[in-house]
């Protein structure tokens, strides 16, 4: 059982890592990081509920589904400071460079963005916006569950990417802080939580929501496996990419009907 102080520090870290919530930064160490990564799916679900509320509000005001979908995804980028999108761009550029591990990490550290990064970000955001439009065109309970589950699925993928046994690619940085900090019980509990959130997302197909969550997690873990093979482990950029891949695939699975 973790001390209450560690749980509070982990919750603060989760909120400041996965959102722009106005929470004062607290203690940052591997114990707090483990709690933060385990709580990531819950933070994602709350963020998704906020995004769904904004999207449904636009629909109520008469906005077409696609406009509401684009605005919802754009708001999500703003509420996360664009960190995960930036991680996706850096990871795509690095892995797309086909250099050795050191060269790939060097590309990922550069502040500019290359063609692989641009393509990855554009395709990811377009897919998310189109799928969000489909979700927001459903009855509000399904729309709320769909957007919340999609956002939570991306953060669930981070929890699994930080499970014990997954190494960090560098000795320092966010990857080293959080890699290997999440136990199997917390990872499985997070999966069960997100699957339950997704149950009402597809009217008449209760199985499709959890199935979309499982598929999105599998896709994200394939990216993690590729990163471990190429650069030896995860970095903060890889975790950002994992969020965007998880959200994109979850949205796609939830939008299919």
């Amino acid at each position: 059982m973790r001390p209450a102080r560690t749980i509070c520090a982990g919750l603060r870290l989760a909120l400041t890592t996965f959102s722009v919530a106005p929470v004062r930064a607290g203690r940052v160490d591997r114990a707090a990081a483990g709690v933060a990564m385990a709580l990531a799916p819950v933070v994602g679900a709350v963020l998704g509920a906020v995004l769904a509320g904004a999207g449904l509000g636009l629909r109520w005001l008469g906005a077409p589904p696609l406009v509401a979908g684009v605005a919802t995804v754009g708001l999500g980028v703003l509420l996360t400071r664009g960190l995960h999108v930036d991680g996706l761009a850096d990871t795509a550029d690095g892995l797309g460079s086909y250099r050795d591990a050191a060269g790939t990490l060097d590309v990922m550290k550069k502040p500019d963005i290359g063609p692989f990064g641009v393509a990855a970000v554009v395709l990811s955001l377009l897919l998310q916006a189109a799928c969000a439009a489909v979700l927001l065109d459903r009855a509000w309970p399904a729309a709320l569950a769909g957007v919340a589950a999609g956002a939570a699925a991306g953060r669930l993928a981070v929890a699994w990417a930080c499970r014990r046994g997954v190494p960090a690619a560098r000795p320092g940085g966010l990857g080293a802080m959080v890699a290997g900090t999440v136990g199997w019980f917390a990872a499985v509990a997070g999966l069960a939580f997100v699957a339950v959130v997704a149950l009402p997302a597809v009217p008449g197909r209760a199985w499709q929501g959890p199935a979309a969550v499982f598929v999105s997690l599998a896709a994200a873990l394939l990216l993690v496996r590729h990163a471990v093979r190429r650069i030896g482990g995860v970095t903060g950029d890889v975790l950002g990419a994992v969020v965007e891949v998880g959200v994109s695939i979850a949205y796609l699975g939830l939008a299919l009907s």
Side-chain angles (χ1 to χ4, degrees):
M1 187 69 177
R2 295 181 184 270
R5 186 171 299 179
T6 299
I7 295 174
C8 290
L11 178 58
R12 286 175 179 269
L13 183 58
L15 290 170
T16 55
T17 301
F18 296 104
S19 75
V20 293
V23 178
R24 186 178 60 186
R27 191 184 89 205
V28 179
D29 54 27
R30 281 184 61 81
V35 174
M37 297 304 104
L39 291 175
V42 178
V43 175
V46 173
L47 175 64
V50 172
L51 298 179
L56 288 168
L58 288 173
R59 291 287 290 129
W60 182 76
L61 291 172
L66 185 56
V67 172
V70 171
T72 298
V73 172
L75 179 61
V77 174
L78 289 176
L79 293 182
T80 56
R81 299 186 297 274
L83 290 178
H84 308 134
V85 172
D86 179 67
L88 174 63
D90 289 341
T91 300
D93 280 335
L95 297 179
S97 69
Y98 293 101
R99 298 187 183 184
D100 60 12
T104 298
L105 288 169
D106 185 58
V107 170
M108 292 168 67
K109 287 176 63 177
K110 292 180 178 179
D112 58 342
I113 179 172
F116 283 107
V118 171
V121 170
V122 170
L123 291 173
S124 174
L125 295 182
L126 281 175
L127 178 61
Q128 290 179 29
C131 292
V134 175
L135 298 178
L136 292 171
D137 202 31
R138 294 172 178 167
W140 75 262
L144 175 61
V147 177
R155 283 72 185 174
L156 170 69
V158 171
W160 277 72
C162 294
R163 71 190 186 281
R164 288 169 190 160
V166 179
R170 298 190 184 101
L174 177 62
M177 174 67 70
V178 301
T181 59
V182 178
W184 280 102
F185 177 81
V188 173
L191 175 57
F193 167 75
V194 181
V196 170
V197 172
L199 279 172
V202 185
R205 294 182 176 181
W207 59 268
Q208 187 171 331
V213 172
F214 277 96
V215 172
S216 72
L217 179 59
L221 292 181
L222 285 176
L223 173 59
V224 172
R225 181 179 179 182
H226 184 57
V228 171
R229 184 175 62 84
R230 284 287 306 280
I231 59 177
V234 297
T235 67
D237 284 332
V238 170
L239 296 179
V242 162
V243 171
E244 294 302 320
V245 169
V247 172
S248 298
I249 300 301
Y251 272 7
L252 177 59
L254 293 167
L256 295 175
S257 60

